[in-house]
Amino acid sequence: MRGIGKDDYHDMPGCQDLAYLFTFTSISLDCSEHMNNKLLLLLLGIIWFSQAIIAQGTATMREISLNQHWQFRQVGDREWLPATVPGTVHTDLLANKKIEDPYYRTNERQLQWIDKTEWEYRTSFYVDTNLLKFDVLNLEFLGLDTYVDVYLNGTRIISADNFFIAWKKDIKPLVRLGDNNLRLHFLSPARKGIELLEAHGYGLPAGNDQSEVGEMGDQRVSVFIRKPGYHFGWDWGPRLVTSGIYRPVQLRAWSKVRLEDVYFHQDELSDTLAQLTAHAEITATTAQTVELLVWHGEELLGAQSFELAAGPNTLDLPFQIQNPRRWWTHDLGEPFRYALRAELRGEDKVLNSLTHQIGLRTVRIVQTPDAKGASFYVELNGRPIFAKGANYIPNDVFIPRTTPDQYEWAIFSTARANMNMLRVWGGGFYENDIFYDLCDEYGILVWQDFMFACSMYPGDPDFLRRVREEAEYNVKRLRNHPSIALWCGNNEIDIAWAQHKESRGWGWKQLYSPTQRKDIWRDYQAVFDELLPQVVDSLQPGTFYWPSSPFFKEGDHAGENTPEGDIHYWGVWHGEHPFDGYYENVGRFMSEYGFQSFPEFRTVKSYTVPGDWDIESEVMAAHQRSGIGNLRIRSYMEDHYQVPKRFDQQLYVGQVLQAEGIRMAIEAHRSAMPYCMGSLYWQLNDCWPVASWSGMD
């Protein structure tokens, strides 16, 4: 194996660190290679039309986009300003020149007032007589951030309380012919969090919640709000707590019957036959007879008539695919997918349909006892694979800013570096559909965390309701993707609390009384040992669930060399172990490890002025959220290289240092096969310009 030459790629943003770190294979990463022609066509096709039909316009169904002509204001202000939907308050304020760039120098500190404030968004839409003829007019918000009251023509129709789900309401009884007014009132997430914290009675561990930066003292409220944890800060990210309409808004009109969801569950798979069941969820306005059909192109795979009752219905239609082609990771074969279309017919016409690109494959996480403990590896289509890849965080603090081509570049780069797995980390969000579509297409497996990380969480009935709703929504949303290899309950909570060994953990449990400790652990078990595995088992049966990462099933937390489960090894970096520690601390599956580097000089210049060009300057420290970070890099640099005097050369040597460390880790893990069967370094990407563990700048 060799490193990839850096000098060839200096003109492509983000390639510099990536080229050095991706040492899984000897292939070159050609950053100048153009994306697929289909990406260009996709980008040209993404045009939002206000009140335009964006899907099939049959007599029984119509979809209208409501993403244009929005305005916003701070509650109490008289002036309404133009807003972008999908978007955030921060980016709308920036576009209207009301704030400076949050990522520039230390501007983040001056913007902490935004999440203490309430905001309003408004638009109007026209309803004609044809639209009023439909039985149901569903107003659908695919993503609201986070506590939001939605008013239609002055009547509150939705009170949203969870970032991670979609919201919809039948507004047929409230709409009127002509213009209809839509207004959204966003509550302050900080104030709502304080309210929930006070109701709980005491705070919970949440070390990455930068409440001091947010001018909230020790009131760490992130754990009480179902919203991305990284918005409240992390040891690689700023504290910028957003509000806004972060995914599209649409009006979906339909009559008689609607196919709400279809899950193509793979029952059995062999080289000659795939047996599947289409699990269809259908809502009907009246009792009626329909036919459910499943198509692959022009080939009819199954059809059956059903009697529907008024209201929700669940139908199961078995079907087969002869001589099936399997979905593989790109390094082992072709990630082949079938475009399957579920179609509802009635009265001799198509009522509506849903299409999913599915992959036929078997995925198991194999844990077989052996002389050293127990294995932990991914078996794809009966073949053990070494999981090569990285941990993935959101691409931006302001989620709607990430474009389709940025998603494509990230997954394209992952595949070109010969990675075959990404872990979607639990402090971000359940990624946009395009992320999983691209992983399916490029043959990248996904380790999917639920959105809990490095904190303890409450377990009151209202919190558990919100967790169940989000788990059900997202498992259903993602379960047709062949890339989903497993669901994991959380990031690092089990090892941080260390319930089964008093001397281990991060010192959290010792901060609480015996009664509080009992309650906190009971709440943990309610979410991660009961609720989440039940949801996965019921909605995506046969999919592996892992309670926490890292996790050692005997509960002993034996340390860096635990001979079972997965490991996060941070002896190098946090423990100041030398790079040789990577060879001495190898587990069965290395799901986290890493070493920091500075961004490239071009990136640093984008958020600094020349007076900031010192790794100990205030601005460089503000763009390094691990307090030990910049000096820790220099300390390791002193052990391996001569420390340059020039600032730009220090940045460069820091990248070389990171590359050397990660190369040694990957070699240690690969050479330990089959004892070790996974190596996912921390982390693939960044959410803002910062010194961090990221492999891509």
Side-chain angles (χ1 to χ4, degrees), residues 85-258:
V85 172
T88 70
V89 168
H90 288 75
T91 49
D92 285 333
L93 288 169
L94 183 61
N96 284 279
K97 303 187 185 305
K98 297 298 183 180
I99 62 172
E100 299 296 324
D101 182 359
Y103 294 172
Y104 185 68
R105 303 194 79 220
T106 59
N107 286 347
E108 169 202 0
R109 299 174 187 171
Q110 283 73 54
L111 303 179
Q112 297 305 311
W113 60 273
I114 295 174
D115 63 80
K116 318 299 187 301
T117 305
E118 297 186 356
W119 301 90
E120 288 181 303
Y121 279 69
R122 73 178 184 185
T123 192
S124 63
F125 59 95
Y126 188 83
V127 173
D128 59 23
T129 54
N130 288 329
L131 203 57
L132 286 174
K133 293 177 182 177
F134 286 92
D135 295 339
V136 178
L137 298 177
N138 272 340
L139 179 63
E140 301 182 355
F141 294 89
L142 300 186
L144 291 174
D145 180 10
T146 295
Y147 285 92
V148 193
D149 290 327
V150 180
Y151 295 86
L152 176 65
N153 297 328
T155 299
R156 185 170 65 181
I157 58 172
I158 294 172
S159 289
D161 60 2
N162 194 327
F163 179 100
F164 300 118
I165 67 175
W167 300 86
K168 72 177 180 179
K169 180 71 175 180
D170 180 8
I171 60 173
K172 178 69 180 292
L174 293 174
V175 295
R176 57 201 181 201
L177 184 65
D179 286 329
N180 289 261
N181 299 315
L182 194 58
R183 181 174 65 88
L184 279 68
H185 185 140
F186 289 84
L187 305 180
S188 159
R191 292 177 182 173
K192 185 64 180 179
I194 291 173
E195 176 187 321
L196 295 170
L197 167 61
E198 291 175 348
H200 187 263
Y202 55 88
L204 293 169
N208 286 289
D209 185 326
Q210 297 171 12
S211 56
E212 293 83 0
V213 174
E215 302 171 355
M216 297 178 63
D218 62 354
Q219 294 177 306
R220 293 178 170 84
V221 302
S222 57
V223 297
F224 300 99
I225 302 174
R226 293 313 298 148
K227 172 177 173 60
Y230 83 110
H231 283 169
F232 296 84
W234 218 266
D235 58 0
W236 37 258
R239 185 192 185 278
L240 293 165
V241 183
T242 59
S243 294
I245 306 169
Y246 78 94
R247 280 178 177 156
V249 186
Q250 61 192 21
L251 183 62
R252 192 188 301 264
W254 58 276
S255 292
K256 296 185 179 179
V257 65
R258 177 185 173 187

Side-chain angles (χ1 to χ4, degrees), residues 381-438:
N381 295 323
R383 178 171 174 174
I385 69 170
F386 188 96
K388 305 172 291 186
N391 290 261
Y392 181 93
I393 69 169
N395 281 301
D396 203 314
V397 172
F398 309 119
I399 290 171
R401 293 205 304 196
T402 304
T403 61
D405 59 322
Q406 288 173 314
Y407 275 114
E408 177 99 15
W409 177 248
I411 306 306
F412 167 82
S413 300
T414 297
R416 283 299 303 270
N418 206 34
M419 294 183 177
N420 59 23
M421 176 175 274
L422 291 175
R423 174 178 173 238
V424 178
W425 166 79
F429 72 110
Y430 306 92
E431 265 291 354
N432 291 326
D433 292 341
I434 187 174
F435 171 85
Y436 303 98
D437 291 339
L438 288 166

Side-chain angles (χ1 to χ4, degrees), residues 366-589:
V366 180
Q367 299 181 84
T368 303
D370 56 29
K372 296 180 179 180
S375 65
F376 190 99
Y377 65 86
V378 180
E379 182 188 85
L380 178 63
N381 295 323
R383 178 171 174 174
I385 69 170
F386 188 96
K388 305 172 291 186
N391 290 261
Y392 181 93
I393 69 169
N395 281 301
D396 203 314
V397 172
F398 309 119
I399 290 171
R401 293 205 304 196
T402 304
T403 61
D405 59 322
Q406 288 173 314
Y407 275 114
E408 177 99 15
W409 177 248
I411 306 306
F412 167 82
S413 300
T414 297
R416 283 299 303 270
N418 206 34
M419 294 183 177
N420 59 23
M421 176 175 274
L422 291 175
R423 174 178 173 238
V424 178
W425 166 79
F429 72 110
Y430 306 92
E431 265 291 354
N432 291 326
D433 292 341
I434 187 174
F435 171 85
Y436 303 98
D437 291 339
L438 288 166
C439 288
D440 294 345
E441 177 185 348
Y442 280 98
I444 304 293
L445 288 168
V446 174
W447 171 313
Q448 178 66 53
D449 281 4
F450 286 98
M451 291 301 116
F452 303 88
C454 299
S455 308
M456 302 304 288
Y457 293 85
D460 58 273
D462 187 62
F463 185 83
L464 294 179
R465 170 191 61 80
R466 287 182 282 153
V467 171
R468 180 174 293 279
E469 288 172 352
E470 96 182 39
E472 291 176 348
Y473 173 77
N474 285 287
V475 171
K476 288 173 67 174
R477 180 171 74 91
L478 301 179
R479 60 188 175 178
N480 279 302
H481 289 280
S483 56
I484 300 289
L486 71 144
W487 287 89
C488 178
N490 68 72
N491 176 77
E492 296 186 340
I493 304 179
D494 179 79
I495 197 171
W497 185 262
Q499 171 72 9
H500 303 289
K501 196 135 186 174
E502 186 67 22
S503 61
R504 295 195 179 274
W506 296 357
W508 288 356
K509 56 183 180 284
Q510 289 81 6
L511 300 175
Y512 295 89
S513 70
T515 299
Q516 290 172 333
R517 287 176 59 165
K518 181 180 179 181
D519 290 344
I520 292 170
W521 185 246
R522 179 202 62 210
D523 292 344
Y524 175 93
Q525 290 180 302
V527 174
F528 302 110
D529 295 340
E530 299 169 18
L531 191 158
L532 294 180
Q534 290 171 2
V535 170
V536 173
D537 185 60
S538 64
L539 297 179
Q540 197 175 0
T543 302
F544 183 78
Y545 173 81
W546 193 234
S548 184
S549 180
F551 185 70
F552 179 46
K553 64 183 180 181
E554 297 301 325
D556 189 28
H557 303 282
E560 312 294 2
N561 290 297
T562 300
E564 297 183 13
D566 68 316
I567 291 177
H568 294 189
Y569 171 59
W570 286 106
V572 173
W573 185 260
H574 288 299
E576 298 186 81
H577 296 179
F579 285 160
D580 287 347
Y582 286 127
Y583 293 100
E584 299 165 1
N585 294 278
V586 178
R588 309 310 292 256
F589 194 105

Side-chain angles (χ1 to χ4, degrees), residues 268-275 320-324:
E268 294 185 31
L269 179 64
S270 70
D271 291 340
T272 57
L273 186 67
Q275 299 190 42
Q320 298 178 342
I321 296 177
Q322 302 288 335
N323 301 314

